[in-house]
Amino acid sequence: MSRDLATPSSDLQDYYDHVPPAHRLSDYSTLSGQGQNIPLQAAASSSAVNLAEPYSDIPSARTRLHFGDRRGEFVDSPYVEEKSRLGNRKKWVLGGLIAIIVAIIVAIILGVVLSRKNSSSSSSDDSISGDPSQFTKDSSLKQSFWGIAYTPEGTLYPDCGAKLSDVVTDIQLLSQLTTRIRVYGADCNTTALVLNAIQLTKVNMTVYIANYPEATDNGEAYDRQKSAIQSAIQTFGTDHIAGVTVGNEFILDYLDDNGGTDPNSDIGNTGAQILLGFINDTRSMLSDMSVSLKIGNADAGSYFNDLVLEDVDYGMANVHPWFANVSIEQAAGWTWNFFETIDVALAKSLSNDPEMSIAETGWPTNSTDAGNESNGPSTASETNLQTFLNTFVCQANANGTEYFFFEYFDETWKTEKYGGVEGYWGLFYSNRTLKNIEIPDCSSSS
């Protein structure tokens, strides 16, 4: 969901309705009519999709594009007017006052600038009281999710401002819901902050770290995040890292920007070559560090490029029934069928058979305007989020579907930038208070 969603959702290209021909393994209408029945076990026949347990070697211990908000620049203001008829003494006093005021203004500006610089380079080294591993558990939280998508607050490059204390609080809460999280990029010290918080809280958690490159900046964003990932691994090691995801909806965005629709067309393959350069460079970086980690890619569910997917260990597919205009009654079953029919089947057709998971799925709970509060058949509401939780989570756990629920908490910057439902996908409100929902009680260990 890294696309620019400034326009109402009714005007968006429904990319789930436009499965590229090369990946159209069954008619879309049959997927949307499956209802909410998710098989509780993988089918046993030899012709069925194999749901063996990917990532089985991970200890059982997701902007998303990071859009920077534009803040106003500090400008000097003339606080004092010079009076031409003032005597010399008065002029001297006035000049002294002006000098003091200017000095104060300059000091404030320098303080703010230095604060921003420190936040951008190393995030806030804020104090943490007590032992973060000793925290009160919330009885309303259940460790039922296979994984959860997470973007720490204050990691929007270049206006970085994430606090370790906030990330510690997030990890304490997330650890009561899941043993796995995914992040979207490495800007603003995201990787180090998350690994540090896991280390401090001593929870059973692994994270899929990520690099979110751009196609048109000659590798600037990729290189910046690559350095941050290297530093974080050198500092915290890899015990809590499950994999490195390079690219999020990179091919989808490249096609949109260049007038393409098929991820395996000439346009799609051109974008793939750019992305493969980043992926293979990440592989070389890890090798040079003598680090062995899985490398993957995340994209919209029907926009994986075969060349990319053949070059990675795992693929993460964004599968959203909301944006497919599916009713809440059919949402859970549609999500499972789409993922199995489009993404798992595609992976099985490739020589490397990459492991597949759902990178994002969920349901929004609110909208900033009436025009976006419905996807057609159903509305954005906490009641409907509860329905999706009730019909997807335990069933997916039982049949071995691997997924990252989208998402941990509401992100206010998306509400400010995009409006509509974009800021309301969290299980928690932005203040880290659980929404008016009940977490399903079922094990995610399967």
Side-chain angles (χ1 to χ4, degrees), residues 414-427:
K414 296 177 187 174
T415 300
E416 296 167 358
K417 185 175 179 66
Y418 298 115
V421 300
E422 284 305 293
Y424 299 105
W425 288 82
L427 295 167

Side-chain angles (χ1 to χ4, degrees), residues 93-163:
V93 172
L94 186 58
L97 288 173
I98 293 173
I100 293 172
I101 292 171
V102 170
I104 292 173
I105 293 173
V106 170
I108 292 173
I109 293 173
L110 286 174
V112 172
V113 170
L114 289 174
S115 176
R116 280 192 179 183
K117 181 177 180 181
N118 290 336
S119 294
S120 297
S121 60
S122 60
S123 293
S124 299
D125 185 20
D126 53 312
S127 60
I128 298 176
S129 60
D131 181 355
S133 67
Q134 301 299 312
F135 57 93
T136 303
K137 306 298 192 297
D138 186 341
S139 61
S140 65
L141 304 182
K142 309 290 191 302
Q143 203 177 73
S144 299
F145 297 87
W146 194 89
I148 294 178
Y150 171 52
T151 299
E153 183 180 6
T155 53
L156 304 180
Y157 185 83
D159 295 307
C160 305
K163 297 180 179 179

Side-chain angles (χ1 to χ4, degrees), residues 9 16-17 21 56 83 108 114 142 158 219-220 236 239 320 342:
S9 60
Y16 296 113
D17 273 341
S56 58
K83 306 294 186 180
I108 292 173
L114 289 174
K142 309 290 191 302
E220 179 180 342
F236 298 101
D239 288 347
H320 282 288
I342 302 301

